[in-house]
Amino acid sequence: SVLSSITIIALILSRQRKKREVYHRILLGMCIADISSSLWLSMSTWPIPEETDILWAVGTPMSCSFQGFFTQFGISSPIYNVSLSFYYLLVVRYSWNEERLRKVELFFHALPFLWAFTTAIVGLFL
């Protein structure tokens, strides 16, 4: 997952034309969210405070909170899939062009980011 996301990011950033297209920017956001989520999940129990007696737990309460925040923030990756689905709906079913898509692009990025950020913040206080 991480290697594929890094490859996609490299391909998008290496071509000027791709950076200008809404589709590629949505894909870029999804890949960045995927990398972040994968990295934090790969840490498994390490960030959990060691006094919990959980196997391989060597962290602190702060590291545990960081992992919890960024793991929850990873929900933005599947929500970016929703944005991509709406993109396809607008392009294929309703024949939207690039110029029209740019006017609503903010929503394609705002929905995943705001949902992920809000739920991650709420999780810190539960």
Side-chain angles (χ1 to χ4, degrees), residues 1 14 17 22 34 41 69-70 72 75 78-79 103 116 126:
S1 170
S14 69
R17 180 184 61 83
V22 172
D34 176 60
L41 286 172
F69 178 88
F70 285 106
Q72 178 57 35
I75 193 71
I79 297 175
K103 293 177 182 174
L126 292 179

Side-chain angles (χ1 to χ4, degrees), residues 1-121:
S1 170
V2 172
L3 292 176
S4 297
S5 289
I6 289 171
T7 303
I8 292 169
I9 289 170
L11 289 171
I12 292 170
L13 296 179
S14 69
R15 304 241 173 23
Q16 192 67 336
R17 180 184 61 83
K18 287 185 178 185
K19 287 189 272 190
R20 291 191 306 258
E21 295 174 355
V22 172
Y23 166 78
H24 289 103
R25 288 193 296 265
I26 294 170
L27 204 55
L28 186 68
M30 186 171 16
C31 288
I32 291 169
D34 176 60
I35 290 170
S36 173
S37 174
S38 295
L39 291 175
W40 284 99
L41 286 172
S42 72
M43 290 184 196
S44 184
T45 58
W46 291 345
I48 297 173
E50 60 185 321
E51 61 267 8
T52 60
D53 293 328
I54 294 175
L55 185 63
W56 298 319
V58 294
T60 65
M62 182 64 78
S63 65
C64 188
S65 293
F66 265 79
Q67 184 188 32
F69 178 88
F70 285 106
T71 299
Q72 178 57 35
F73 195 85
I75 193 71
S76 62
S77 185
I79 297 175
Y80 259 113
N81 251 324
V82 173
S83 291
L84 200 55
S85 297
F86 274 108
Y87 169 87
Y88 283 127
L89 175 72
L90 295 174
V91 170
V92 175
R93 173 65 178 94
Y94 297 106
S95 303
W96 280 35
N97 61 20
E98 189 70 18
E99 182 181 329
R100 197 167 177 195
L101 287 164
R102 281 193 189 111
K103 293 177 182 174
V104 296
E105 182 180 8
L106 176 64
F107 296 106
F108 291 141
H109 299 286
L111 176 64
F113 179 81
L114 290 175
W115 182 265
F117 185 75
T118 302
T119 57
I121 290 291

